[in-house]
């Protein structure tokens, strides 16, 4: 057991954070697409020690039927934390917090999706937090958006998300767990990068108007960085390198070259 101890300071005299990051520096991020065999689309994210997997199923028939929407698909998001994802064992029953975060994530993703293309159907997004170390709702949005793209759900664009918080009076991007627990608040946000439309904006703690404007500026910058990582993760899965198995153009070219070589030999 490793009892948590409140750190003496969250910002060092040199202006660095407890894990050595600069205020505007995100944690190391690793995104993977297509991590689940059974799902129609899936993705995982490691953001610092936070580790989350998202699986998308659908569009498919909706049960129970009374939830059916006649003009669009129902986006059903279920965010859950594994019992072992936090230092104290998390009770397995769905908590109020999990239900609220599920709703918040659904509302953040919906503006990017063409759900009207699948009336009466459901698109299920299951999010499992394997390890929680702060910022799980934002990391979950980053992974869920990629999983929806992997499932081929038509979308305006990917949704990146990050929280900007405040500790020792300084604005900090992408809070770790201790900064979240012992800091003065945070502002989780999500955007459609192409238009800078904001699809999620929450606030916990108090911020001045100037701080909020600056937090949003920092958050939008980080979201744009995250968006590049999301696009790279998709490309790694779908765009094959020349010569790699599955590169149809390359294989066609190869066949043509071989055919021509045989012809030349026969001449
Ligand atoms: O994860 P996020 O910041 O989006 O949501 P939060 O409700 O502000 O939770 C902050 C952090 O508290 C989580 O990321 C977890 O690391 C931690 N937490 C926990 O230790 N035990 C819980 N039952 C819930 C959250």
């Amino acid at each position: 057991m490793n009892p948590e101890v409140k750190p003496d300071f969250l910002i060092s005299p040199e202006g660095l954070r407890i894990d050595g990051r600069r205020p505007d520096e995100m944690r190391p991020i690793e995104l993977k697409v297509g991590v689940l065999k059974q799902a129609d689309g899936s993705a995982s994210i490691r953001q610092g020690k936070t580790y989350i997997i998202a699986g998308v199923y659908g569009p498919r028939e909706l049960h129970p039927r009374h939830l059916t929407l006649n003009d669009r698909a129902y986006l059903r998001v279920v965010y859950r934390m594994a019992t072992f994802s936090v230092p104290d064992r998390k009770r397995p029953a769905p908590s109020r917090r999990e239900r609220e975060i599920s709703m918040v994530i659904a509302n953040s993703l919906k503006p990017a999706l063409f759900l009207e293309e699948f009336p009466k159907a459901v698109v299920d997004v299951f999010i499992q937090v394997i390890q929680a170390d702060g910022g799980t709702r934002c990391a979950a949005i980053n992974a869920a958006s990629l999983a929806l793209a992997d499932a081929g759900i038509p979308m305006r664009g990917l949704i990146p998300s990050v929280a900007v918080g405040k500790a020792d009076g300084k604005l900090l991007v992408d809070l770790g767990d201790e900064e979240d627990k012992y800091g003065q608040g945070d502002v989780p946000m999500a955007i459609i990068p192409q238009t800078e439309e904001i699809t999620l904006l929450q606030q916990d703690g108090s911020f001045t108007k100037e701080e909020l404007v600056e937090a949003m500026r920092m958050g939008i910058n980080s979201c744009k960085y995250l968006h590049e990582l999301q696009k790279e993760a998709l490309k790694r899965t779908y765009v094959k390198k020349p010569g790699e198995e599955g590169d149809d153009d390359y294989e066609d070219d190869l066949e043509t070259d071989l055919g021509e070589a045989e012809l030349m030999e026969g001449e």
Side-chain angles (χ1 to χ4, degrees), residues 246-261:
D247 175 9
D248 292 342
D249 285 346
Y250 178 81
E251 278 163 15
D252 288 349
D253 286 351
L254 201 64
E255 269 170 33
T256 318
D257 288 351
L258 285 175
E260 279 170 8

Side-chain angles (χ1 to χ4, degrees), residues 49-115:
K49 291 189 200 124
T50 289
Y51 180 35
I52 297 175
I53 296 179
V56 170
Y57 294 76
R60 61 182 179 181
E61 202 173 318
L62 172 58
H63 299 284
R65 284 197 189 277
H66 69 86
L67 295 175
T68 301
L69 303 169
N70 285 325
D71 59 344
R72 61 187 186 280
Y74 178 55
L75 182 71
R76 182 161 53 191
V77 175
V78 179
Y79 160 103
R80 289 275 182 276
M81 287 178 119
T83 49
F84 53 82
S85 64
V86 283
D88 304 324
R89 173 180 178 273
K90 195 226 148 246
R91 290 176 62 172
S95 63
R96 253 192 70 166
R97 174 182 171 274
E98 286 170 307
R99 276 198 283 268
E100 186 208 313
I101 294 185
S102 300
M103 184 198 74
V104 162
I105 294 173
N107 289 344
S108 315
L109 295 169
K110 263 185 233 165
L113 302 174
F114 293 106
L115 293 172

Side-chain angles (χ1 to χ4, degrees), residues 81 86-87 90 97 101 132-138 177 180-181:
M81 287 178 119
V86 283
K90 195 226 148 246
R97 174 182 171 274
I101 294 185
D133 194 48
T136 60
R137 80 192 61 202
C138 296
D177 195 39
D180 198 348
K181 282 202 180 100

Side-chain angles (χ1 to χ4, degrees), residues 141-189:
I141 292 169
N142 292 324
S145 174
L146 271 181
L148 285 159
D150 186 38
I153 307 297
M155 56 173 64
R156 291 184 176 84
L158 292 159
I159 302 264
S161 173
V162 76
V164 180
K166 187 165 65 163
D168 295 350
K170 253 195 122 32
L171 293 175
L172 309 172
V173 159
D174 185 24
L175 299 187
D177 195 39
E178 282 172 309
E179 292 171 334
D180 198 348
K181 282 202 180 100
Y182 306 115
Q184 294 152 290
D186 69 335
V187 180
M189 64 189 90

Side-chain angles (χ1 to χ4, degrees), residues 20-66:
R21 281 185 289 155
R22 296 183 311 274
D24 62 351
E25 193 177 336
M26 299 201 59
R27 292 175 286 181
I29 294 169
E30 185 191 85
L31 293 164
K32 285 189 183 158
V33 176
V35 294
L36 301 176
K37 185 164 169 271
Q38 316 293 353
D40 294 312
S42 59
S44 67
I45 182 165
R46 283 182 193 276
Q47 190 156 343
K49 291 189 200 124
T50 289
Y51 180 35
I52 297 175
I53 296 179
V56 170
Y57 294 76
R60 61 182 179 181
E61 202 173 318
L62 172 58
H63 299 284
R65 284 197 189 277
H66 69 86

